[in-house]
């Protein structure tokens, strides 16, 4: 078996906690969080984006409350050697046995077309659970809720309830193709069903020893949770900032051999020649691509995307790519929310600017439909916290700053924007070839033609090029996608800010744009751009490559193209 196959064999692949441990695959020990939460009988809520490890966390709770930390069925406990093994005896009322009811609402939704279908599947699941637990439910001969029957049949403090993806029934409705009236009616029916479910939990609180609920969106103060407002939301609590995802320290601790192999592939070195410095270089690049997610309101903790890391290590030839986005991020929910943002707001986010929303809107949205798009983009994993909650200037209003977490999201949004504002017949593959050829030959005229192909293809009504920043934004997206490089906009240097900078092979490219309203202005503006590059030494502090290629360009609104270009030496 090759080194790569051996490393692949120990990567977790989305299995339950017990299967990961049974098969000897890597498990990043998060059990200290299980201990902390198990100390209390409060119902807990945790929201995180898709594929950040919520389901593995829930399955670990299931194993813990079913079997504890002692050996059983002729094998060692799956918690042997983990932090919880020593901590579990300190948890009160943990002896059991417990009725551990694990409900994954996303799974129950399969083949459901409405709230009635979902209710039927939920009832069937609970009835099967009761049968397997040898519980005789006292039916009334009516369509009584099976959950209520179950709670009537069990003693106090005997039920452990684990609900994964509690909000899936509502988010699925938002992504469904339906007219507004039908969608509104379906949403109301599903909301009422979930409301009744959580009302029953609150009314029967004495029956539960432990309740843990996960989801993607925070709906604590909507009608779903207003009835069950005893739920404690730990989603942005600092002490649970790393409960899902992987910290850099955990990445180094649990995946040292995977890092060495990936560093060898990335740097094209024999594995035996890979040093700790090489691994650090790789880690820095991985941090740029996949780290940066912050769910901690103090912004003291940030984590890597778990799914992106596993996919990255799963590539035999190391490749930085948009794994999380391609695997679970491209959803109608994302597209619907992006469409609510202006193009100015979209590009500001892409350029690294933070978006600001009031804390009340962030924490207490009314419904999914009414939630601010920036808030939903945070909850679904496209934006992240950028600073601790703060007071707005000249106001007592608390605000939240959010922005892109990493290069993966930057690249993914660039692709989406490009698909949105360029026509399907644009011919992107041919554009890529011509752009690369122009850069390789350092042909300014050919580069000008490539830029104009992008600018002249944009739908003027959809996205009018009315200012310099609009031109820069279009070319930023097209170039970053075509070359698969990090393009920097308005890079701060000692004497000013150049409009567009990027490294391509052995050359650092610097472009300074000017915006002319009329053809009569272009000549003077080109001279200004050239002088600005020279006077402010654009590119000197950015350039990391042996060669520096600087260009001045003027876009003319009358002809909707770059009319003038000059190489600056």
């Amino acid at each position: 078996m090759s080194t790569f196959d051996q490393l692949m064999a120990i990567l977790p692949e989305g299995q339950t906690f017990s299967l990961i441990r049974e098969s000897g695959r890597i498990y990043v020990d998060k059990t200290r969080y299980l201990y902390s939460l198990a100390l209390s009988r409060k119902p807990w809520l945790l929201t995180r984006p898709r594929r950040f490890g919520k389901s593995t966390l829930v399955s670990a709770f299931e194993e813990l409350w079913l079997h504890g930390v002692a050996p059983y069925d002729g094998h060692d406990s799956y918690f042997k050697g983990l932090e919880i093994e020593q901590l579990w005896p300190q948890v009160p009322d943990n002896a059991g046995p417990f009725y551990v009811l694990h409900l994954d609402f996303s799974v129950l939704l399969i083949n459901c077309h409405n709230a009635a279908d979902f209710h039927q599947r939920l009832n069937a699941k609970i009835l099967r659970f009761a049968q397997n637990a040898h519980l005789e439910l006292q039916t009334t001969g009516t369509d009584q809720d099976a959950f209520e029957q179950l709670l009537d049949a069990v003693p106090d403090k005997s039920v452990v309830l684990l609900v994964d993806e509690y909000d899936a029934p509502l988010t699925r409705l938002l992504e469904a193709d339906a007219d507004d009236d039908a969608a509104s009616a379906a949403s109301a029916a599903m909301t009422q069903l979930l409301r009744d479910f959580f009302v029953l939990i609150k009314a029967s609180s004495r029956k539960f020893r432990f309740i843990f609920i996960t989801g993607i969106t925070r709906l604590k103060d909507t009608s779903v949770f207003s009835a069950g407002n005893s739920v404690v939301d730990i989603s942005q609590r600092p002490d649970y900032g790393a409960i899902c995802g992987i910290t850099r320290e955990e990445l180094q601790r649990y995946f040292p051999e995977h890092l060495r192999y990936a560093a060898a592939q990335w740097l094209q070195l024999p594995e035996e020649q890979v040093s700790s410095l090489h691994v650090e270089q790789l880690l820095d690049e991985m941090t740029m691509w996949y780290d940066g997610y912050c769910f901690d309101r103090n912004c003291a903790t940030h984590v890597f995307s778990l799914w992106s890391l596993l996919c990255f290590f799963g590539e035999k030839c190391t490749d930085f790519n948009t794994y999380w986005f391609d695997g679970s991020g491209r959803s109608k929910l994302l597209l619907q929310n992006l469409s609510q943002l202006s193009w100015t707001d979209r590009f500001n986010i892409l350029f690294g600017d933070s978006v600001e929303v009031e804390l009340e809107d962030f924490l207490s949205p009314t419904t999914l439909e009414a939630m601010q798009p920036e808030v939903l983009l945070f909850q679904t994993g496209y934006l992240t916290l950028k600073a601790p909650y703060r007071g707005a200037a000249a106001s007592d209003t608390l605000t939240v700053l959010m922005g892109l977490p990493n290069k993966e999201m930057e690249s993914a949004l660039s692709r989406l924007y490009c698909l949105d504002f360029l026509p399907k017949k644009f011919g992107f593959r041919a554009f890529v070839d011509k752009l690369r050829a122009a850069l390789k030959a350092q042909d300014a005229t050919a580069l000008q033609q490539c830029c104009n192909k992008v600018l002249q293809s944009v739908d003027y009504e959809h996205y009018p090029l009315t200012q310099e920043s609009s031109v820069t934004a279009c070319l930023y997206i097209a170039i970053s996608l075509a070359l698969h490089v990090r393009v920097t906009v308005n890079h701060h240097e000692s004497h000013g800010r150049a409009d567009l900078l990027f490294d391509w092979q052995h050359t650092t490219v610097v472009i300074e744009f000017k915006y002319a309203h009329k053809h009569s202005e272009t000549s003077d503006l080109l001279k200004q751009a050239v002088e600005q590059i020279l006077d402010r030494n654009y590119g000197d502090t950015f350039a990391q490559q042996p060669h520096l290629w600087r260009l001045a360009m003027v876009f003319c609104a009358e002809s909707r193209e770059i009319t003038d270009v000059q190489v600056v030496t």
Side-chain angles (χ1 to χ4, degrees):
M1 183 181 292
S2 68
T3 299
F4 175 74
D5 292 334
Q6 291 174 353
L7 293 174
M8 280 294 296
I10 58 174
L11 281 179
E13 295 181 338
Q15 306 102 319
T16 62
F17 167 82
S18 57
L19 284 176
I20 291 172
R21 298 289 285 171
E22 184 179 32
S23 60
R25 293 178 181 266
I26 295 171
Y27 172 72
V28 178
D29 190 355
K30 302 283 187 178
T31 57
R32 64 188 180 280
Y33 298 112
L34 274 62
Y35 163 74
S36 176
L37 295 171
L39 289 172
S40 173
R41 288 181 57 200
K42 298 175 182 177
W44 305 105
L45 168 69
L46 175 72
T47 60
R48 288 292 187 270
R50 290 186 177 102
R51 295 188 170 179
F52 263 72
K54 298 189 303 294
S55 295
T56 299
L57 186 71
V58 171
S59 67
F61 269 128
E62 183 176 22
E63 175 69 19
L64 186 63
W65 287 107
L66 279 173
H67 302 294
V69 298
Y72 69 96
D73 290 349
H75 63 76
D76 283 334
S77 166
Y78 293 129
F79 294 99
K80 185 176 177 61
L82 301 180
E83 288 187 64
I84 194 70
E85 185 180 25
Q86 303 302 320
L87 296 171
W88 186 245
Q90 304 172 36
V91 175
D93 302 325
N94 68 356
F98 298 102
Y99 297 103
V100 182
L101 177 59
H102 181 181
L103 301 173
D104 187 332
F105 280 8
S106 65
V107 172
L108 290 176
L109 270 176
I110 296 173
N111 296 324
C112 289
H113 302 289
N114 50 46
D117 290 346
F118 180 75
H119 193 197
Q120 185 177 16
R121 289 206 64 184
L122 177 61
N123 276 348
K125 169 75 174 179
I126 293 172
L127 290 173
R128 286 195 303 272
F129 172 83
Q131 184 178 14
N132 293 335
H134 307 292
L135 289 169
E136 294 187 9
L137 304 188
Q138 301 299 315
T139 60
T140 62
T142 64
D143 187 26
Q144 186 183 11
D145 189 274
F147 192 37
E148 185 177 355
Q149 297 176 34
L150 175 68
L151 295 178
D152 286 342
V154 298
D156 291 351
K157 297 196 298 186
S158 66
V159 177
V160 169
L161 176 64
L162 306 171
V163 181
D164 204 3
E165 304 291 358
Y166 87 91
D167 55 341
L170 295 175
T171 56
R172 188 75 56 85
L173 284 173
L174 277 185
E175 294 178 347
D177 291 321
D179 62 71
D180 291 343
D181 291 340
S184 178
S187 179
M190 191 66 79
T191 298
Q192 186 60 49
L193 190 157
L194 295 178
R195 185 188 196 296
D196 292 344
F197 181 82
F198 289 109
V199 165
L200 186 56
I201 290 174
K202 184 179 181 182
S204 307
S205 59
R206 69 186 186 283
K207 298 287 186 176
F208 297 99
R209 169 56 186 88
F210 184 76
I211 300 173
F212 188 68
I213 303 163
T214 78
I216 295 173
T217 55
R218 297 179 55 164
L219 297 172
K220 180 182 68 174
D221 294 319
T222 66
S223 58
V224 173
F225 275 96
S226 61
N229 54 17
S230 59
V231 174
V232 178
D233 188 347
I234 60 170
S235 303
Q236 268 69 65
R237 276 181 39 174
D239 45 339
Y240 293 101
I243 192 172
C244 290
I246 303 293
T247 66
R248 181 162 172 150
E249 184 277 329
E250 289 170 334
L251 179 57
Q252 293 173 287
R253 176 183 175 187
Y254 289 96
F255 298 91
E257 295 307 315
H258 293 81
L259 289 170
R260 283 184 58 82
Y261 178 87
Q265 301 303 309
W266 185 52
L267 297 170
Q268 298 183 340
L269 293 172
E271 195 171 346
E272 60 271 14
Q273 293 182 18
V274 174
S275 67
S276 58
L277 181 61
H278 294 138
V279 172
E280 285 296 321
Q281 285 181 265
L282 174 70
L283 276 167
D284 289 343
E285 188 70 15
M286 293 176 69
T287 298
M288 185 180 298
W289 269 87
Y290 304 122
D291 195 10
Y293 288 97
C294 179
F295 307 101
D296 161 13
R297 62 174 175 254
N298 291 342
C299 282
T301 306
H302 52 86
V303 294
F304 286 80
S305 159
L306 174 62
W307 179 257
S308 298
L309 289 180
L310 296 181
C311 291
F312 176 80
F313 287 138
E315 293 287 335
K316 193 167 187 178
C317 298
T318 298
D319 184 26
F320 289 94
N321 218 324
T322 54
Y323 298 113
W324 179 86
F325 176 78
D326 294 336
S328 61
R330 189 194 298 269
S331 67
K332 289 183 180 179
L333 198 57
L334 165 66
L335 299 178
Q336 289 166 1
N337 276 274
L338 281 177
S339 67
Q340 296 180 45
L341 295 174
S342 69
W343 274 105
T344 300
D345 289 340
R346 293 193 222 181
F347 284 126
N348 285 343
I349 289 173
L350 196 59
F351 290 163
D353 294 342
S354 294
V355 295
E356 188 171 17
V357 299
E358 291 188 9
L359 181 62
E360 184 64 20
D361 294 327
F362 180 77
L363 294 178
S364 306
T366 53
T367 64
L368 273 172
E369 293 86 347
M371 188 182 297
Q372 287 194 20
E374 298 91 342
V375 176
L376 193 50
L377 287 171
F378 163 76
Q379 293 181 9
T380 47
Y382 307 102
L383 299 180
T384 193
L385 294 177
K386 285 296 185 180
Y389 300 168
R390 66 178 192 174
S395 170
D396 294 329
T397 303
L398 288 173
T399 60
V400 179
L401 287 178
M402 297 172 288
L404 289 180
N406 50 42
K407 174 66 176 176
E408 178 177 17
M409 282 298 99
E410 179 184 320
S411 181
L413 288 187
S414 292
R415 284 164 52 192
L416 281 180
Y417 293 178
C418 198
L419 290 171
D420 200 4
F421 73 76
L422 288 178
K424 292 182 179 179
K425 295 182 180 180
F426 174 74
F428 200 75
R429 184 67 260 172
F431 167 75
V432 171
D433 293 339
K434 290 179 180 178
L435 177 62
R436 294 184 178 191
L439 292 170
K440 183 177 182 180
Q442 294 196 7
D443 185 336
T445 301
L447 179 60
Q448 177 186 6
Q449 292 170 351
C450 289
C451 293
N452 281 336
K453 179 175 175 58
V454 174
L455 298 173
Q456 291 169 348
S457 298
V458 175
D459 182 347
Y460 186 82
E461 291 186 2
H462 188 139
Y463 186 65
L465 300 175
T466 55
Q467 54 190 348
E468 182 184 306
S469 61
S470 304
V471 176
T472 305
C474 287
L475 296 178
Y476 163 86
I477 291 174
I479 292 172
S480 62
L481 285 176
L483 303 181
H484 205 60
V485 297
R486 176 178 286 274
V487 177
T488 303
V489 175
N490 292 327
H491 176 68
H492 288 268
E493 298 190 87
S494 56
H495 300 294
R497 298 184 302 177
D499 289 328
L500 213 65
L501 301 95
F502 59 92
D503 287 336
W504 171 244
Q505 294 183 345
H506 301 297
T507 301
T508 294
V509 181
V510 180
I511 304 176
E512 177 64 24
F513 291 102
K514 293 297 178 183
Y515 188 96
H517 294 278
K518 299 177 181 180
H519 282 291
S520 58
E521 303 170 347
T522 60
S523 179
D524 287 341
L525 287 172
L526 182 65
K527 291 179 182 178
Q528 290 180 28
V530 171
E531 291 172 359
Q532 191 169 327
I533 291 173
L534 292 172
D535 292 345
R536 302 181 183 182
N537 298 320
Y538 283 162
D540 286 355
T541 59
F542 179 89
Q544 301 175 9
Q545 303 302 325
H547 305 290
L548 179 62
W549 192 36
R550 303 187 295 186
L551 304 102
M553 292 186 175
V554 178
F555 174 87
C556 181
E558 275 189 338
S559 55
R560 195 175 165 81
E561 65 179 355
I562 294 172
T563 55
D564 299 68
V565 61
Q566 182 175 329
V567 176
V568 182
T569 57

